[in-house]
Amino acid sequence: MSNFDIYKYSYIKGNKIIETSKGKFVITPKCNDKMKIFSYLEQRDFPFFLPMENSSRDSYEVYPYVEDDMESSDKAVDLIHILSLLHIKTTTYREVVMDSIKEMYEELSKEIDDLNSYYQQLQDEIESHIYMAPDEYLLIRNISLLYENLNLARGYLEEWYQTKKDATQERVVFLHKQPCLHHFVDKKTPYFTNWDLSEKGYPVYDFLYFFKNHYQTLEMNSLFQMYQSKFQYTRDEFLLFFCLLLLNSSISLSYGHYKNTILVHQHILYSYKVKEFILKQNQKNQETNENKFHQ
């Protein structure tokens, strides 16, 4: 950027912006070998990324700054289309390594057990109080939902593990790892930004991230069906996806009652949304299987 005349520095949505004689640019710390990542995506015929403006030898990354004012719902549709294309273009298969599967199973199993124990201890503590605060009362009224979701997660995890035992190969894709509206620009050419965490892995992790970031504002069932119409999950992928969706972080009632109540409400809302989402997806899958049977 030494050949640019810099007029002004500013921050927009946490991004460092410079205004120069050649326009606005975003400057970020260097992370991963982006040139290698972008070269791979080009080889796979996936052009929906923004090339760097500077050399890969620099200690920072520079990208053109593009303002994006599209409606969230419209933008989400385009994001899902591009995300499914990323997974289609980068699909590969690898041998199932049961040691890795077992390690993953044990980690998720422990997470479920730890959450169950945490909620049980929290419930015992709250119920020992003579009077409950609003946040405590809200949590106790809905605690059964949290236990139900953890039991569902356990069931999906066990079925996933059994399915993987009988498999010899598994599908992996190149994951963006942070696909959300904030990391997607939809102008003349749509593209993802922020490839800092991208890597090969199970395809479920991308939509999982998208769901957890936008479940409150976007209609997830239709978006997921749109994604599935282009990139259909296999049975084991559905099982893992549902298990991971059902696992929410633990609730910490370590703030004031007002903030605690908001946090509990958000936690309960997520739990309801996930349960409803999975129910609808299972119904959809059942209808699809019945239609195949009658054809």
Side-chain angles (χ1 to χ4, degrees):
M1 299 294 291
S2 57
N3 59 334
F4 285 29
D5 293 326
I6 299 176
Y7 302 141
K8 181 181 177 182
Y9 289 91
S10 60
Y11 286 87
I12 301 177
K13 296 181 180 179
N15 296 314
K16 186 175 183 179
I17 311 298
I18 58 171
E19 296 184 29
T20 75
S21 55
K22 295 188 178 180
K24 286 185 179 181
F25 296 87
V26 180
I27 296 182
T28 64
K30 187 174 182 180
C31 183
N32 287 344
D33 187 347
K34 292 299 195 320
M35 293 300 188
K36 186 176 181 180
I37 291 172
F38 296 159
S39 176
Y40 169 75
L41 293 175
E42 284 182 334
Q43 291 172 12
R44 305 298 292 190
D45 194 25
F46 183 86
F48 303 103
F49 59 88
L50 196 60
M52 291 169 53
E53 290 285 329
N54 59 322
S55 170
S56 60
R57 296 188 297 271
D58 294 334
S59 60
Y60 53 88
E61 298 171 2
V62 179
Y63 301 93
Y65 175 73
V66 180
E67 295 189 33
D68 184 0
D69 55 1
M70 179 176 278
E71 288 289 331
S72 294
S73 56
D74 294 334
K75 189 175 178 181
V77 170
D78 288 347
L79 183 154
I80 291 301
H81 174 72
I82 300 301
L83 182 65
S84 63
L85 193 60
L86 171 65
H87 293 170
I88 291 169
K89 293 287 188 179
T90 62
T91 292
T92 55
Y93 292 85
R94 67 188 181 192
E95 182 182 354
V96 172
V97 179
M98 278 311 300
D99 286 344
S100 298
I101 298 298
K102 185 179 180 182
E103 182 180 359
M104 185 174 175
Y105 166 79
E106 290 174 348
E107 288 176 355
L108 289 172
S109 183
K110 183 178 184 302
E111 185 176 350
I112 293 170
D113 289 340
D114 289 347
L115 284 170
N116 260 313
S117 297
Y118 175 79
Y119 288 131
Q120 188 61 63
Q121 291 173 7
L122 189 59
Q123 180 180 1
D124 292 343
E125 180 185 345
I126 292 173
E127 291 180 341
S128 69
H129 297 168
I130 298 175
Y131 300 105
M132 292 185 190
D135 51 317
E136 296 173 337
Y137 179 69
L138 180 62
L139 178 58
I140 292 302
R141 280 200 61 181
N142 294 277
I143 197 75
S144 61
L145 172 65
L146 305 185
Y147 292 136
E148 287 171 12
N149 279 9
L150 288 175
N151 286 334
L152 281 173
R154 168 71 69 188
Y156 285 125
L157 177 62
E158 294 295 339
E159 192 174 350
W160 172 79
Y161 188 53
Q162 293 302 317
T163 301
K164 298 301 282 188
K165 283 182 177 179
D166 299 328
T168 56
Q169 285 191 316
E170 60 185 9
R171 180 169 65 172
V172 292
V173 300
F174 194 74
L175 298 164
H176 182 275
K177 289 298 286 283
Q178 302 178 87
C180 62
L181 297 181
H182 182 57
H183 295 152
F184 186 73
V185 177
D186 203 354
K187 275 293 189 180
K188 293 180 180 178
T189 300
Y191 54 84
F192 281 112
T193 63
N194 197 342
W195 294 82
D196 293 349
L197 302 180
S198 58
E199 62 179 359
K200 277 279 187 178
Y202 295 139
V204 301
Y205 287 109
D206 269 346
F207 201 93
L208 177 70
Y209 186 94
F210 179 76
F211 185 102
K212 290 193 172 187
N213 276 270
H214 298 300
Y215 72 93
Q216 295 188 63
T217 57
L218 296 174
E219 208 295 293
M220 283 296 161
N221 283 287
S222 59
L223 290 169
F224 186 67
Q225 285 303 314
M226 186 182 305
Y227 170 77
Q228 288 294 291
S229 69
K230 300 176 183 296
F231 189 89
Q232 178 74 37
Y233 281 171
T234 59
R235 176 62 179 164
D236 65 297
E237 289 166 353
F238 265 115
L239 294 169
L240 179 60
F241 178 56
F242 289 163
C243 173
L244 294 173
L245 266 182
L246 287 159
L247 293 180
N248 202 359
S249 58
S250 58
I251 302 174
S252 177
L253 301 182
S254 57
Y255 305 95
H257 291 308
Y258 176 75
K259 186 172 182 180
N260 285 345
T261 303
I262 294 174
L263 292 175
V264 171
H265 172 73
Q266 291 174 340
H267 200 94
I268 299 302
L269 176 63
Y270 175 83
S271 299
Y272 272 112
K273 289 275 190 178
V274 167
K275 191 171 182 179
E276 181 184 56
F277 173 84
I278 291 176
L279 177 63
K280 289 184 177 179
Q281 294 310 315
N282 280 332
Q283 289 174 343
K284 185 71 176 179
N285 290 342
Q286 184 176 358
E287 290 171 3
T288 301
N289 291 334
E290 288 177 355
N291 289 336
K292 287 181 179 178
F293 176 78
H294 290 298
Q295 285 178 355

